[in-house]
Amino acid sequence: MTLSLIEAVLLVFVLGCAIGAAVLRDVLASLMAFAAYSLGISIIWVILEAPDVGLTEAAVGAGIMTILFILALANTVRPQEDELFESISVRTVALVGAFVVVMVATVPSLPAVGAEGAANPVVSGEVTQYYLDNAYADTEVQNAVTAVLAAYRGFDTLGEAVVVFSAGIAALTVLRQEVFA
């Protein structure tokens, strides 16, 4: 598996943000690292050709959750601390390291993005072929991805829209009740 430059940069960025969110003592700085992590993940979803998931991650993860966390932080007391980073135990590092090793060991068994033929069962599957062969005839939509999202997976897409809409309504409700001085 080879990574393009943009994929490698995004991977390093996301890992850096995740580590920053975990070890920063300043809660606001940790929150900003979390928001950047979520935005990086949403970009990765778009690169992996899942724009619906990327949009949901950007709206809910980087958008709504960041707003709600900032509001929660604004309503709490921030203690003054001189240390910038949390102390991390060796046991925690070993446990997280073992988990990362297990996850990285599974990556070679995944099909390459865009792989053709038997190397990628998703691309060569019956359902995929049916969508490609019948998308226009069934839906009269020129773009096969749009046909799948809007017609074949309509309830799933509706579910994602409901989640984003509900999160937006919840955020607006919280913001409306919030008194800004």
Side-chain angles (χ1 to χ4, degrees), residues 131-132 135-137 139-148:
Y131 288 160
L132 293 175
Y136 181 73
T139 65
E140 297 181 9
V141 175
Q142 294 288 338
N143 186 323
V145 173
T146 303
V148 169

Side-chain angles (χ1 to χ4, degrees), residues 69-134:
F69 284 152
I70 288 174
L71 286 173
L73 183 60
N75 291 318
T76 58
V77 178
R78 288 181 65 188
Q80 297 296 330
E81 298 173 0
D82 293 335
E83 295 182 33
L84 183 60
F85 295 103
E86 288 285 339
S87 60
I88 302 171
S89 71
V90 175
R91 191 173 97 185
T92 302
V93 171
L95 199 61
V96 169
F99 179 74
V100 168
V101 167
V102 169
M103 295 304 289
V104 168
T106 63
V107 170
S109 65
L110 296 172
V113 175
E116 294 190 26
N120 190 346
V122 174
V123 173
S124 61
E126 291 179 33
V127 175
T128 303
Q129 197 57 48
Y130 176 83
Y131 288 160
L132 293 175
D133 292 341
N134 300 307

